[in-house]
Amino acid sequence: MGDRRHSDCEEAIRSGLKFRAVFFRESAQNVAEKLLPQIGAHVETLLVPDSILDGAVPSDTPQGIAALVRLREFSLQDILERLQVGPMMVVVGLQDPGNLGTILRSAEAFGSAGVALGEGTVSPFNSKVIRASAGSIFRLPVVLAKSEDGVESVIAKLRSQSVRLIATSSHKGTPLDEARLTEASAIFVGSEGSGLPRNLMAQVDELVAIPHARQVESLNAGVAGSIVLYEAARQRRQ
């Protein structure tokens, strides 16, 4: 399957975000000529030396452009009001930016209500998260719940609205294809190494296991979260 990648700034434009300023590398004037008509004349634009922009914007694959944008703001209530669309994701302690970006991308692709990010999770504004999300971070409802009792308060709110709490497990739990994922639910995903903290695991209503070869210890968080989201979308289509 082809994957025609847009730059992060192109994704922001396609997502309808409001730009405050845009910076182009001197060597990327062709990019500037392409994007300026889409950005709008009211946005401040600057052409800067390559070394300055590359030093200010850390990236393994420089795209020649950086921008200040105003992101949409969402609340937990915004996500709860969308639970008829699909399950929400609650991510706790996930530190790998590629995995978080994958979850955000899959969450949008498979109709998640939104994503809450708990304590110990990498910032959704990390450049590698943004790149891996392929623009989904600009459109998907994402809320931060990173205070000490942040996830606990999210759980309390979910309980008050009768939302089922589901956690993924490597080998134990209800086989994924037997789990009921059509009702209002929140899917919890933990860190790559240790998974969800025990105090959170003790509060979920159901453990769901993704069947896989036993010699494989576990799936990474991005893959596991994506598979569960796909299965939830598949069940809702039936």
Side-chain angles (χ1 to χ4, degrees), residues 86-135:
M88 71 174 290
M89 302 291 290
V90 182
V91 182
V92 182
L94 184 59
Q95 298 177 348
D96 182 85
N99 274 331
L100 179 58
T102 296
I103 288 174
L104 295 174
R105 187 175 186 178
S106 296
E108 182 183 28
F110 299 129
S112 170
V115 180
L117 304 179
E119 186 178 9
T121 301
V122 63
S123 169
F125 311 120
N126 177 291
S127 61
K128 292 181 179 180
V129 174
I130 294 172
R131 183 74 59 86
S133 81

Short mmCIF file of all heavy atoms in Angstrom, two decimals, residues 86-135:
data_model
loop_
_atom_site.label_atom_id
_atom_site.label_comp_id
_atom_site.label_asym_id
_atom_site.label_seq_id
_atom_site.Cartn_x
_atom_site.Cartn_y
_atom_site.Cartn_z
N GLY A 86 -16.83 5.64 18.70
CA GLY A 86 -15.90 4.54 18.93
C GLY A 86 -15.27 4.68 20.30
O GLY A 86 -15.50 5.67 21.01
N PRO A 87 -14.47 3.70 20.71
CA PRO A 87 -13.87 3.74 22.05
C PRO A 87 -12.83 4.84 22.17
O PRO A 87 -12.22 5.26 21.18
CB PRO A 87 -13.21 2.36 22.18
CG PRO A 87 -12.89 1.98 20.76
CD PRO A 87 -14.03 2.52 19.94
N MET A 88 -12.61 5.33 23.39
CA MET A 88 -11.51 6.24 23.62
C MET A 88 -10.30 5.42 24.04
O MET A 88 -10.41 4.29 24.50
CB MET A 88 -11.85 7.29 24.68
CG MET A 88 -11.93 6.77 26.09
SD MET A 88 -12.17 8.11 27.31
CE MET A 88 -10.57 8.93 27.26
N MET A 89 -9.11 6.00 23.87
CA MET A 89 -7.88 5.37 24.31
C MET A 89 -7.35 6.13 25.52
O MET A 89 -7.39 7.36 25.55
CB MET A 89 -6.83 5.39 23.19
CG MET A 89 -7.26 4.69 21.91
SD MET A 89 -7.39 2.91 22.12
CE MET A 89 -5.67 2.44 22.30
N VAL A 90 -6.84 5.39 26.50
CA VAL A 90 -6.16 6.00 27.64
C VAL A 90 -4.75 5.42 27.67
O VAL A 90 -4.57 4.22 27.85
CB VAL A 90 -6.89 5.70 28.97
CG1 VAL A 90 -6.18 6.40 30.12
CG2 VAL A 90 -8.35 6.16 28.89
N VAL A 91 -3.76 6.27 27.44
CA VAL A 91 -2.38 5.82 27.31
C VAL A 91 -1.60 6.27 28.55
O VAL A 91 -1.59 7.45 28.89
CB VAL A 91 -1.74 6.41 26.04
CG1 VAL A 91 -0.31 5.90 25.88
CG2 VAL A 91 -2.58 6.06 24.80
N VAL A 92 -0.95 5.31 29.21
CA VAL A 92 -0.26 5.60 30.46
C VAL A 92 1.18 5.10 30.41
O VAL A 92 1.42 3.92 30.14
CB VAL A 92 -0.98 4.93 31.66
CG1 VAL A 92 -0.29 5.29 32.97
CG2 VAL A 92 -2.45 5.34 31.70
N GLY A 93 2.13 5.99 30.63
CA GLY A 93 3.53 5.59 30.74
C GLY A 93 4.20 5.19 29.45
O GLY A 93 5.27 4.59 29.46
N LEU A 94 3.60 5.51 28.32
CA LEU A 94 4.18 5.15 27.02
C LEU A 94 5.21 6.20 26.62
O LEU A 94 4.87 7.34 26.36
CB LEU A 94 3.07 5.05 25.97
CG LEU A 94 3.48 4.58 24.58
CD1 LEU A 94 4.11 3.19 24.64
CD2 LEU A 94 2.28 4.57 23.65
N GLN A 95 6.47 5.80 26.52
CA GLN A 95 7.54 6.76 26.32
C GLN A 95 8.09 6.78 24.91
O GLN A 95 8.80 7.72 24.53
CB GLN A 95 8.68 6.48 27.31
CG GLN A 95 8.24 6.62 28.76
CD GLN A 95 9.33 6.27 29.74
OE1 GLN A 95 10.36 5.71 29.38
NE2 GLN A 95 9.12 6.60 31.01
N ASP A 96 7.80 5.77 24.12
CA ASP A 96 8.32 5.73 22.75
C ASP A 96 7.47 6.61 21.84
O ASP A 96 6.27 6.36 21.67
CB ASP A 96 8.32 4.30 22.22
CG ASP A 96 8.90 4.22 20.82
OD1 ASP A 96 10.13 4.14 20.70
OD2 ASP A 96 8.12 4.27 19.85
N PRO A 97 8.05 7.64 21.23
CA PRO A 97 7.24 8.55 20.40
C PRO A 97 6.64 7.89 19.17
O PRO A 97 5.53 8.25 18.75
CB PRO A 97 8.24 9.66 20.03
CG PRO A 97 9.59 9.07 20.23
CD PRO A 97 9.45 8.09 21.34
N GLY A 98 7.36 6.92 18.60
CA GLY A 98 6.81 6.24 17.43
C GLY A 98 5.56 5.45 17.77
O GLY A 98 4.59 5.43 17.01
N ASN A 99 5.56 4.80 18.94
CA ASN A 99 4.38 4.05 19.36
C ASN A 99 3.19 4.96 19.62
O ASN A 99 2.06 4.65 19.24
CB ASN A 99 4.69 3.23 20.62
CG ASN A 99 5.31 1.88 20.31
OD1 ASN A 99 5.06 1.30 19.26
ND2 ASN A 99 6.12 1.38 21.22
N LEU A 100 3.44 6.09 20.29
CA LEU A 100 2.32 7.00 20.55
C LEU A 100 1.79 7.57 19.24
O LEU A 100 0.58 7.66 19.04
CB LEU A 100 2.75 8.14 21.48
CG LEU A 100 1.63 9.15 21.79
CD1 LEU A 100 0.42 8.46 22.41
CD2 LEU A 100 2.13 10.25 22.72
N GLY A 101 2.69 7.96 18.34
CA GLY A 101 2.23 8.47 17.04
C GLY A 101 1.40 7.45 16.29
O GLY A 101 0.39 7.78 15.66
N THR A 102 1.81 6.18 16.36
CA THR A 102 1.05 5.11 15.71
C THR A 102 -0.34 4.99 16.30
O THR A 102 -1.34 4.84 15.58
CB THR A 102 1.80 3.78 15.85
OG1 THR A 102 3.05 3.86 15.14
CG2 THR A 102 0.99 2.62 15.29
N ILE A 103 -0.43 5.05 17.63
CA ILE A 103 -1.74 4.96 18.28
C ILE A 103 -2.63 6.11 17.86
O ILE A 103 -3.83 5.93 17.58
CB ILE A 103 -1.57 4.91 19.81
CG1 ILE A 103 -0.99 3.54 20.23
CG2 ILE A 103 -2.91 5.16 20.53
CD1 ILE A 103 -0.66 3.43 21.71
N LEU A 104 -2.08 7.32 17.80
CA LEU A 104 -2.89 8.48 17.40
C LEU A 104 -3.38 8.32 15.96
O LEU A 104 -4.54 8.61 15.64
CB LEU A 104 -2.06 9.76 17.54
CG LEU A 104 -1.64 10.15 18.96
CD1 LEU A 104 -0.72 11.35 18.93
CD2 LEU A 104 -2.86 10.43 19.82
N ARG A 105 -2.50 7.86 15.10
CA ARG A 105 -2.88 7.66 13.69
C ARG A 105 -3.97 6.60 13.56
O ARG A 105 -4.96 6.79 12.84
CB ARG A 105 -1.64 7.27 12.88
CG ARG A 105 -1.87 7.20 11.37
CD ARG A 105 -0.56 6.92 10.66
NE ARG A 105 -0.71 7.00 9.22
CZ ARG A 105 0.28 6.83 8.36
NH1 ARG A 105 1.51 6.60 8.81
NH2 ARG A 105 0.07 6.90 7.05
N SER A 106 -3.80 5.48 14.27
CA SER A 106 -4.80 4.42 14.22
C SER A 106 -6.10 4.84 14.87
O SER A 106 -7.18 4.45 14.42
CB SER A 106 -4.25 3.16 14.91
OG SER A 106 -3.13 2.65 14.22
N ALA A 107 -6.00 5.64 15.93
CA ALA A 107 -7.21 6.11 16.60
C ALA A 107 -8.08 6.92 15.65
O ALA A 107 -9.31 6.76 15.62
CB ALA A 107 -6.84 6.95 17.83
N GLU A 108 -7.45 7.77 14.86
CA GLU A 108 -8.23 8.53 13.88
C GLU A 108 -8.74 7.61 12.77
O GLU A 108 -9.90 7.70 12.36
CB GLU A 108 -7.41 9.66 13.28
CG GLU A 108 -8.24 10.48 12.30
CD GLU A 108 -7.47 11.59 11.60
OE1 GLU A 108 -6.24 11.45 11.43
OE2 GLU A 108 -8.11 12.58 11.20
N ALA A 109 -7.87 6.72 12.29
CA ALA A 109 -8.24 5.87 11.16
C ALA A 109 -9.41 4.95 11.48
O ALA A 109 -10.26 4.68 10.62
CB ALA A 109 -7.03 5.03 10.73
N PHE A 110 -9.47 4.45 12.72
CA PHE A 110 -10.49 3.47 13.09
C PHE A 110 -11.61 4.06 13.94
O PHE A 110 -12.36 3.33 14.58
CB PHE A 110 -9.83 2.28 13.79
CG PHE A 110 -8.83 1.56 12.93
CD1 PHE A 110 -7.56 1.30 13.39
CD2 PHE A 110 -9.15 1.17 11.64
CE1 PHE A 110 -6.61 0.65 12.60
CE2 PHE A 110 -8.23 0.52 10.83
CZ PHE A 110 -6.95 0.26 11.32
N GLY A 111 -11.72 5.38 13.98
CA GLY A 111 -12.89 6.01 14.57
C GLY A 111 -12.91 6.06 16.08
O GLY A 111 -13.98 5.91 16.69
N SER A 112 -11.76 6.29 16.72
CA SER A 112 -11.75 6.45 18.17
C SER A 112 -12.38 7.78 18.56
O SER A 112 -12.30 8.77 17.83
CB SER A 112 -10.30 6.40 18.69
OG SER A 112 -10.22 6.77 20.03
N ALA A 113 -12.99 7.79 19.74
CA ALA A 113 -13.57 9.04 20.25
C ALA A 113 -12.50 10.07 20.59
O ALA A 113 -12.73 11.27 20.55
CB ALA A 113 -14.42 8.76 21.48
N GLY A 114 -11.31 9.59 20.93
CA GLY A 114 -10.22 10.49 21.32
C GLY A 114 -9.24 9.76 22.22
O GLY A 114 -9.41 8.57 22.52
N VAL A 115 -8.22 10.47 22.66
CA VAL A 115 -7.14 9.86 23.42
C VAL A 115 -6.82 10.72 24.64
O VAL A 115 -6.67 11.94 24.53
CB VAL A 115 -5.87 9.70 22.57
CG1 VAL A 115 -4.74 9.06 23.37
CG2 VAL A 115 -6.16 8.88 21.31
N ALA A 116 -6.70 10.07 25.81
CA ALA A 116 -6.23 10.73 27.03
C ALA A 116 -4.83 10.21 27.33
O ALA A 116 -4.60 9.00 27.29
CB ALA A 116 -7.17 10.45 28.20
N LEU A 117 -3.91 11.12 27.63
CA LEU A 117 -2.52 10.75 27.88
C LEU A 117 -2.21 10.93 29.35
O LEU A 117 -2.30 12.02 29.90
CB LEU A 117 -1.59 11.62 27.03
CG LEU A 117 -1.85 11.58 25.51
CD1 LEU A 117 -0.87 12.50 24.81
CD2 LEU A 117 -1.74 10.16 24.98
N GLY A 118 -1.81 9.82 30.00
CA GLY A 118 -1.56 9.84 31.42
C GLY A 118 -0.11 10.09 31.77
O GLY A 118 0.76 10.28 30.90
N GLU A 119 0.17 10.04 33.05
CA GLU A 119 1.50 10.33 33.60
C GLU A 119 2.56 9.42 32.99
O GLU A 119 2.34 8.23 32.76
CB GLU A 119 1.47 10.14 35.12
CG GLU A 119 2.75 10.56 35.82
CD GLU A 119 2.65 10.41 37.33
OE1 GLU A 119 1.65 9.82 37.79
OE2 GLU A 119 3.56 10.87 38.03
N GLY A 120 3.73 9.99 32.69
CA GLY A 120 4.84 9.22 32.16
C GLY A 120 4.80 8.99 30.67
O GLY A 120 5.69 8.34 30.11
N THR A 121 3.81 9.54 30.00
CA THR A 121 3.68 9.38 28.55
C THR A 121 4.41 10.51 27.84
O THR A 121 4.37 11.66 28.27
CB THR A 121 2.19 9.36 28.14
OG1 THR A 121 1.54 8.28 28.82
CG2 THR A 121 2.03 9.20 26.64
N VAL A 122 5.06 10.17 26.74
CA VAL A 122 5.79 11.16 25.95
C VAL A 122 4.83 12.27 25.50
O VAL A 122 3.63 12.03 25.29
CB VAL A 122 6.47 10.48 24.73
CG1 VAL A 122 5.44 9.87 23.80
CG2 VAL A 122 7.35 11.47 23.97
N SER A 123 5.34 13.46 25.34
CA SER A 123 4.50 14.59 24.91
C SER A 123 3.95 14.35 23.50
O SER A 123 4.68 13.91 22.61
CB SER A 123 5.32 15.88 24.91
OG SER A 123 4.60 16.92 24.25
N PRO A 124 2.67 14.64 23.30
CA PRO A 124 2.11 14.49 21.95
C PRO A 124 2.68 15.52 20.98
O PRO A 124 2.49 15.39 19.77
CB PRO A 124 0.61 14.71 22.17
CG PRO A 124 0.54 15.59 23.39
CD PRO A 124 1.67 15.13 24.27
N PHE A 125 3.39 16.52 21.51
CA PHE A 125 3.98 17.56 20.66
C PHE A 125 5.44 17.28 20.35
O PHE A 125 6.12 18.08 19.71
CB PHE A 125 3.82 18.92 21.31
CG PHE A 125 2.42 19.17 21.80
CD1 PHE A 125 2.15 19.42 23.13
CD2 PHE A 125 1.35 19.12 20.92
CE1 PHE A 125 0.86 19.62 23.58
CE2 PHE A 125 0.04 19.32 21.36
CZ PHE A 125 -0.21 19.57 22.69
N ASN A 126 5.96 16.14 20.80
CA ASN A 126 7.29 15.69 20.40
C ASN A 126 7.32 15.57 18.88
O ASN A 126 6.38 15.06 18.26
CB ASN A 126 7.56 14.34 21.07
CG ASN A 126 8.88 13.72 20.70
OD1 ASN A 126 9.09 13.30 19.57
ND2 ASN A 126 9.78 13.64 21.66
N SER A 127 8.40 16.02 18.26
CA SER A 127 8.45 16.05 16.80
C SER A 127 8.28 14.66 16.18
O SER A 127 7.67 14.50 15.12
CB SER A 127 9.77 16.67 16.32
OG SER A 127 10.88 15.92 16.78
N LYS A 128 8.80 13.63 16.86
CA LYS A 128 8.67 12.27 16.33
C LYS A 128 7.25 11.74 16.48
O LYS A 128 6.78 10.95 15.66
CB LYS A 128 9.68 11.34 17.01
CG LYS A 128 11.13 11.66 16.66
CD LYS A 128 12.10 10.71 17.33
CE LYS A 128 13.54 11.03 16.95
NZ LYS A 128 14.51 10.11 17.61
N VAL A 129 6.56 12.15 17.53
CA VAL A 129 5.15 11.79 17.69
C VAL A 129 4.33 12.42 16.56
O VAL A 129 3.50 11.76 15.92
CB VAL A 129 4.60 12.23 19.06
CG1 VAL A 129 3.10 11.96 19.14
CG2 VAL A 129 5.33 11.51 20.19
N ILE A 130 4.56 13.70 16.33
CA ILE A 130 3.83 14.40 15.28
C ILE A 130 4.04 13.74 13.94
O ILE A 130 3.10 13.49 13.18
CB ILE A 130 4.25 15.89 15.24
CG1 ILE A 130 3.82 16.60 16.52
CG2 ILE A 130 3.65 16.58 14.02
CD1 ILE A 130 4.34 18.01 16.65
N ARG A 131 5.31 13.42 13.64
CA ARG A 131 5.61 12.77 12.35
C ARG A 131 4.94 11.41 12.24
O ARG A 131 4.34 11.10 11.21
CB ARG A 131 7.13 12.64 12.21
CG ARG A 131 7.61 12.04 10.88
CD ARG A 131 7.47 13.03 9.74
NE ARG A 131 8.24 14.23 10.01
CZ ARG A 131 9.55 14.37 9.71
NH1 ARG A 131 10.22 13.39 9.16
NH2 ARG A 131 10.16 15.52 9.94
N ALA A 132 5.03 10.59 13.30
CA ALA A 132 4.45 9.25 13.26
C ALA A 132 2.92 9.28 13.20
O ALA A 132 2.30 8.36 12.68
CB ALA A 132 4.90 8.44 14.47
N SER A 133 2.32 10.35 13.72
CA SER A 133 0.85 10.44 13.70
C SER A 133 0.32 10.80 12.32
O SER A 133 -0.88 10.68 12.07
CB SER A 133 0.36 11.46 14.72
OG SER A 133 0.44 12.79 14.22
N ALA A 134 1.20 11.25 11.43
CA ALA A 134 0.82 11.59 10.05
C ALA A 134 -0.33 12.60 10.01
O ALA A 134 -1.22 12.51 9.18
CB ALA A 134 0.44 10.32 9.27
N GLY A 135 -0.30 13.55 10.93
CA GLY A 135 -1.31 14.61 10.94
C GLY A 135 -2.48 14.37 11.87
O GLY A 135 -3.26 15.28 12.13
#
